[in-house]
């Protein structure tokens, strides 16, 4: 299938709500496994490397994209599992059941929504994410990409399947790439947020800018409190022991926001130096 999203959208149009679409595909992981088993070492790694560059990287780079589609007509592209799932969700489907059989990924999805208006996210390493800002206004937060394309459509799926772990993050987030985990560990993915800081969308110290889905998990009291202040680059929970549950995260943020509303400069000054101490001397790192 060349125009994969248009294909999914057309199926969505033809199906009634509750209608089921069943299909299968080869994911990037099973394709890699097949290549490495089909040839002897080191030929298998050489061939897989060329396949990876041609079918995974070439269609995404501006300099090679036209050549790739001219040669392949857009067929036999390779997608990682999170992107396949994200494309389905962006086109109005939800997973009913899924399984791997004979190295193929089979899925049955149900039509639950109409396709999202913007269902063609960029593949670029520099991305802009919608986050809840002051007064509930949606702001665009700039980051380096750490997740596979279309991952933003999978937040409800990941939350429903894996819930939250200690610290208030998803217990298992398969959307994050290996390269993305490295960037997150050293906060490199957040460097572009300095542009938001200069624009005035966020401040230096403050609660994390949250997605709409994650924001909806907060209590109504905390939602009302959160939108009274700008989100920040350095979250208050880095000033001490990290909260272990979503309730603890909310309590930590509540203490910060209430103190900030009374004494803005003094509160941020105190939290800033505590956070710097934890990062420099206690080796506090993101996950």
């Amino acid at each position: 299938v060349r125009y994969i999203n248009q294909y999914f959208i057309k199926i969505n149009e033809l199906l009634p709500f509750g209608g089921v679409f069943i299909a299968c595909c080869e994911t990037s992981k099973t394709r890699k496994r097949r290549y490495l088993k089909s040839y002897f070492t080191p030929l298998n790694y050489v061939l897989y490397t060329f396949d990876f560059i041609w079918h995974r990287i070439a269609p995404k780079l501006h300099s090679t994209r036209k050549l790739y589609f001219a040669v392949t007509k857009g067929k036999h592209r390779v997608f990682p599992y999170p992107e396949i799932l994200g494309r389905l969700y962006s086109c109005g489907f939800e997973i009913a059941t899924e399984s791997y059989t004979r190295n193929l990924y089979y899925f049955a999805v149900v039509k639950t929504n109409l396709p999202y208006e913007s269902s063609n996210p960029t593949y670029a390493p520099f991305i802009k994410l919608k986050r809840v800002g002051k007064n509930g206004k949606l702001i665009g937060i700039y980051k380096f990409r750490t997740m596979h394309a279309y991952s933003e459509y999978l937040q409800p799926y990941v939350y429903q399947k894996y819930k939250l772990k200690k610290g208030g993050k998803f217990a298992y987030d398969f959307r994050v790439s290996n390269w993305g985990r490295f960037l997150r560990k050293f906060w490199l993915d957040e460097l572009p947020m300095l542009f938001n800081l200069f624009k005035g969308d966020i401040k230096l110290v403050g609660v994390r800018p949250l997605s709409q889905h994650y924001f909806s998990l907060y209590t109504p009291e905390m939602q009302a409190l959160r939108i009274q202040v700008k989100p920040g680059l350095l979250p208050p929970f880095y000033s001490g022991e990290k909260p272990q549950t979503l309730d603890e995260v909310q309590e930590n943020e509540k203490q910060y926001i209430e103190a900030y509303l009374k004494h803005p400069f003094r509160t941020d000054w105190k939290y800033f130096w505590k956070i710097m101490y934890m990062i420099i001397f206690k080796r506090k790192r993101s996950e």
Side-chain angles (χ1 to χ4, degrees):
V1 178
R2 178 172 183 175
Y3 301 104
I4 188 72
N5 276 31
Q6 292 182 22
Y7 178 67
F8 288 160
I9 289 172
K10 186 62 180 179
I11 292 172
N12 183 291
E13 292 176 358
L14 296 173
L15 284 175
F17 280 93
V20 179
F21 166 47
I22 302 172
C24 70
C25 59
E26 182 184 47
T27 67
S28 60
K29 184 177 290 187
T30 54
R31 185 181 183 89
K32 178 180 179 180
R33 191 181 300 124
R34 176 169 62 83
Y35 259 83
L36 297 184
K37 286 184 177 181
S38 299
Y39 304 96
F40 62 88
T41 306
L43 179 63
N44 55 355
Y45 284 96
V46 173
L47 293 176
Y48 172 71
T49 299
F50 278 106
D51 183 79
F52 180 87
I53 293 172
W54 180 241
H55 285 294
R56 292 285 303 281
I57 298 178
K60 297 177 181 179
L61 296 180
H62 182 73
S63 57
T64 56
R65 185 178 176 85
K66 288 184 178 180
L67 173 64
Y68 176 84
F69 284 101
V71 174
T72 67
K73 308 303 180 183
K75 298 180 179 181
H76 305 295
R77 276 187 294 166
V78 182
F79 302 111
Y81 165 71
E83 182 175 342
I84 295 168
L85 207 58
R87 284 174 179 267
L88 287 164
Y89 270 72
S90 74
C91 294
F93 297 101
E94 290 186 10
I95 285 287
T97 185
E98 54 187 331
S99 65
Y100 283 89
T101 304
R102 294 181 180 178
N103 290 324
L104 290 178
Y105 169 58
Y106 285 81
F107 57 82
V109 292
V110 179
K111 175 180 175 179
T112 57
N113 293 290
L114 296 176
Y116 288 89
E117 291 184 6
S118 178
S119 59
N120 190 28
T122 175
Y123 282 106
F126 186 65
I127 58 175
K128 183 179 180 181
L129 303 172
K130 290 183 179 179
R131 294 293 184 258
V132 179
K134 188 176 181 180
N135 299 320
K137 178 184 176 182
L138 289 181
I139 57 176
I141 295 294
Y142 298 99
K143 285 192 173 187
F144 286 124
R145 178 182 294 281
T146 59
M147 292 185 175
H148 296 287
Y150 291 86
S151 290
E152 60 267 37
Y153 296 100
L154 294 178
Q155 278 205 335
Y157 171 83
V158 178
Y159 175 71
Q160 181 181 12
K161 190 167 184 177
Y162 299 107
K163 302 302 179 184
L164 301 178
K165 65 177 179 179
K166 291 182 178 180
K169 292 194 175 183
F170 292 125
Y172 172 65
D173 201 339
F174 61 89
R175 301 173 300 165
V176 182
S177 65
N178 293 333
W179 176 244
R181 289 188 178 90
F182 172 81
L183 292 176
R184 289 185 173 199
K185 183 176 181 179
F186 298 99
W187 288 337
L188 298 175
D189 63 308
E190 297 184 350
L191 284 177
M193 289 178 66
L194 291 172
F195 184 64
N196 292 109
L197 184 65
F198 298 143
K199 283 179 61 182
D201 295 330
I202 61 176
K203 54 196 187 73
L204 184 59
V205 178
V207 293
R208 300 294 303 235
L210 298 180
S211 66
Q212 291 170 281
H213 175 263
Y214 205 102
F215 183 77
S216 70
L217 303 180
Y218 277 54
T219 64
E221 176 192 5
M222 273 305 299
Q223 290 179 10
L225 193 61
R226 248 181 162 273
I227 63 175
Q228 293 184 48
V229 297
K230 285 184 180 181
L233 183 61
L234 300 174
F237 60 72
Y238 276 116
S239 63
E241 289 299 320
K242 189 174 181 181
Q244 298 300 303
T245 65
L246 181 58
D247 289 338
E248 291 180 8
V249 171
Q250 292 184 83
E251 182 59 32
N252 178 276
E253 293 182 349
K254 180 180 179 182
Q255 292 176 10
Y256 164 77
I257 295 173
E258 289 178 343
Y260 176 83
L261 292 174
K262 293 178 181 178
H263 306 286
F265 179 79
R266 185 199 307 175
T267 300
D268 278 359
W269 179 261
K270 180 179 68 174
Y271 271 88
F272 174 78
W273 290 112
K274 284 185 177 181
I275 292 170
M276 288 297 101
Y277 173 79
M278 295 300 291
I279 293 174
I280 296 172
F281 297 104
K282 296 294 185 178
R283 304 290 182 179
K284 200 84 169 184
R285 291 290 183 268
S286 182
E287 296 182 4

